[in-house]
């Protein structure tokens, strides 16, 4: 369990649904702190320890008829707490309280409509009796009889029990997923549960978080010293500024510049953190070392390994020069901490060996300061705004640790890096001008190791081809290519070919993930 702050909180019991994290996000968006705990770790005692004002049981892939069916602790229903069961959560609540649930051949999946029969606190001021509303369903079991004391207040084509409620206890069940955007008023339903039914105050704000976290950092660190790897990305930037606000010059940031950053990025990091925030910052220009070792290496995994190894070596060297640090700060986020429920078990395949500062803590044998452990990415951005970090840093698209090295398939040279930087900067500039930057999850240029023939003026050219990539996503795990209009693509391509020496052809990548990945390597 995380160290929950002093605000009202909601416990989400995870039964392994793909979208459990969205429940936590919707609850937090309504100003209430929530945590996800895997069902197999939740006991009556752990619930009492966490002290929630309400409990949400998530969906999940199991059927209540499987052997070893996941269950909520039976005592939960006697603790006087409001409970909302979503999808599988509704099924298990019914099964555990004496209702009857059966597997069905008529699986309901995707968009569906519910008919509201009666008023219910869950949709008070949102849904009206006698009307139909769009929801998103994904379930295989079906309730045939609700437990004693329950009744249905809304139904759908394939289920007479789309929403159920108890006559005297604050128990609710929904067969659809209110946490996904396709359930149009879903966020309001969750807000009703959390505020009106569970009575949470809604004081989980980034301003409060900032105060509490600063106090926690001071308590943890005392008069010790902290070092922090700063990359210019959102997470390390926000962690650094927050820690600096807590302990001032007891913090030193180390910025390992591997020479694989985007245009103007290294200067911006130094200017923002050293000059504006007055943070003690070591800027180590290690570009010769990185680019030297990468020369002639064109295997993506080998590139990643080299960069990861050198990063740790250089970081350790700089940390040793500073000397005497007791703590290592990391921008770990909540999605990295949530213990996931795995029904499949077994190791998953490594698609890419992600490089970041993972691995440093074990090697350096230091205690960790991780002030963002409780936050989702969008909350980190809000906190960054609260701390006064410029929008072009907090709102920035994700950027991989190995940087431009994995956007240059084939061998890396300084010349190619320069060409890629210019093309990328023009592309991003056009995206910003078209006011699309914030709609897109990630956009970048890739310089291909292919030269093609072109004609400019009366001359033949023989230059590199460049691919443009832009995707929408919510977490980077799956992604769709962004549907630019052709005018936009024409404009960006034209500028790149005219303004960047070394590129004479531009293509647009229309691969989704899966089967592609976001980065090319
Ligand atoms: P892929 O290419 O695997 O990327 O679809 C998913 C997300 O992760 C980022 N990415 C990385 N981030 N170190 C990082 O810190 C890495 O080695 C790395 N590789 C990919 C990628 O930019 C996208 O946002």
């Amino acid at each position: 369990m995380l160290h929950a702050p002093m605000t009202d909180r909601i416990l989400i019991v995870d039964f392994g649904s793909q979208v459990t994290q969205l429940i936590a996000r919707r609850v937090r968006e309504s100003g209430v702190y929530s945590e996800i705990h895997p069902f197999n770790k939740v006991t009556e005692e752990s619930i009492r320890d966490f002290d929630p004002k309400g409990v949400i049981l998530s969906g999940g892939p199991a059927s209540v008829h499987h052997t070893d069916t996941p269950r909520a602790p039976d005592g939960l229903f006697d603790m006087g707490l409001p409970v909302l069961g979503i999808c599988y959560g509704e099924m298990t609540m019914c099964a555990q309280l004496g209702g009857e649930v059966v597997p069905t051949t008529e699986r309901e999946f995707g968009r569906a409509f519910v008919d509201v029969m009666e008023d219910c606190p869950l949709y008070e001021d949102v849904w009206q009796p006698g009307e139909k509303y769009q929801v998103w369903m994904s379930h295989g079991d079906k309730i045939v009889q609700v437990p004693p004391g329950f009744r249905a207040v809304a139904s759908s084509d394939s289920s007479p029990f789309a929403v159920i409620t108890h006559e005297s206890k604050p128990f609710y069940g929904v067969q659809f997923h209110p946490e996904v955007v396709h359930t149009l008023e879903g966020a309001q339903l969750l807000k009703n549960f959390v505020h009106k039914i569970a009575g949470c105050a809604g004081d989980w704000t980034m301003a409060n978080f900032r105060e509490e976290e600063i106090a926690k950092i001071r308590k943890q660190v005392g008069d010790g010293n902290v070092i922090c790897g700063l990359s210019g990305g959102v997470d390390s930037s926000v962690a650094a500024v927050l820690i600096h606000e807590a302990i001032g010059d007891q913090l030193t940031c180390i910025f390992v510049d591997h020479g694989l950053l985007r245009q103007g990025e290294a200067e911006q990091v130094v200017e923002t953190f050293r000059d504006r925030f007055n943070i003690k910052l070591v800027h180590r220009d290690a570009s010769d070392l990185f680019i030297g070792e990468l020369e002639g290496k064109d295997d993506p995994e080998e590139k990643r390994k080299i960069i990861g190894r050198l990063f740790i070596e250089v970081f350790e060297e700089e940390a040793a020069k500073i000397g005497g640090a007791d703590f290592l700060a990391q921008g770990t986020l909540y999605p990295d901490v949530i213990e996931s429920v795995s029904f499949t078990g077994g190791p998953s395949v490594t698609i890419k060996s992600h490089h970041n500062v993972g691995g440093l803590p074990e090697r350096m044998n230091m205690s960790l300061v991780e002030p963002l452990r409780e936050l989702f990415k969008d909350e980190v951005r809000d906190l960054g705004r609260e701390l006064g970090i410029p929008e072009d840093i907090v709102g920035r698209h994700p950027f991989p640790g190995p940087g431009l090295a994995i956007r240059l398939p084939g061998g890396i040279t300084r010349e190619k890096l320069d060409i890629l930087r210019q093309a990328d900067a023009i592309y991003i500039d056009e995206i910003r001008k078209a006011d699309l930057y914030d709609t897109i999850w990630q956009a970048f240029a890739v310089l291909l190791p292919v030269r093609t023939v072109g004609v400019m003026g009366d001359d033949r050219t023989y230059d590199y081809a460049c691919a443009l990539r832009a995707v929408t996503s919510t977490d980077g795990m799956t992604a769709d290519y962004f549907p630019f209009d052709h005018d936009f693509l024409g404009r960006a391509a034209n500028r790149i070919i005219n303004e960047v020496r070394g590129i004479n052809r531009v293509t647009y990548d229309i691969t989704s993930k899966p089967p592609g990945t976001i980065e090319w390597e």
Side-chain angles (χ1 to χ4, degrees), residues 328-342:
L328 179 68
Q330 290 216 120
T332 314
L333 303 192
Y334 190 44
D336 308 324
V337 179
I338 299 172
E339 276 184 76
S340 59
V341 173
S342 165

Side-chain angles (χ1 to χ4, degrees), residues 407-477:
R407 295 179 179 174
L408 262 170
I412 288 163
T413 62
R414 278 192 186 272
E415 186 214 358
K416 283 185 175 179
L417 283 165
D418 275 347
I419 295 174
L420 175 57
R421 262 188 209 109
Q422 291 172 51
D424 188 72
I426 293 170
Y427 178 43
I428 298 297
D429 181 50
E430 284 299 325
I431 289 176
R432 286 199 187 275
K433 280 190 191 144
D435 206 15
L436 293 171
Y437 190 83
D438 295 333
T439 317
I440 293 170
W441 162 267
Q442 205 169 355
F444 53 88
V446 178
L447 190 70
L448 305 186
V450 178
R451 298 219 278 172
T452 72
V453 175
V455 53
M456 265 191 128
D458 294 327
D459 291 329
R460 174 187 192 269
T461 57
Y462 186 55
D463 285 329
Y464 291 110
C466 156
L468 303 181
R469 180 106 169 107
V471 296
T472 53
S473 177
T474 49
D475 52 12
M477 303 295 285

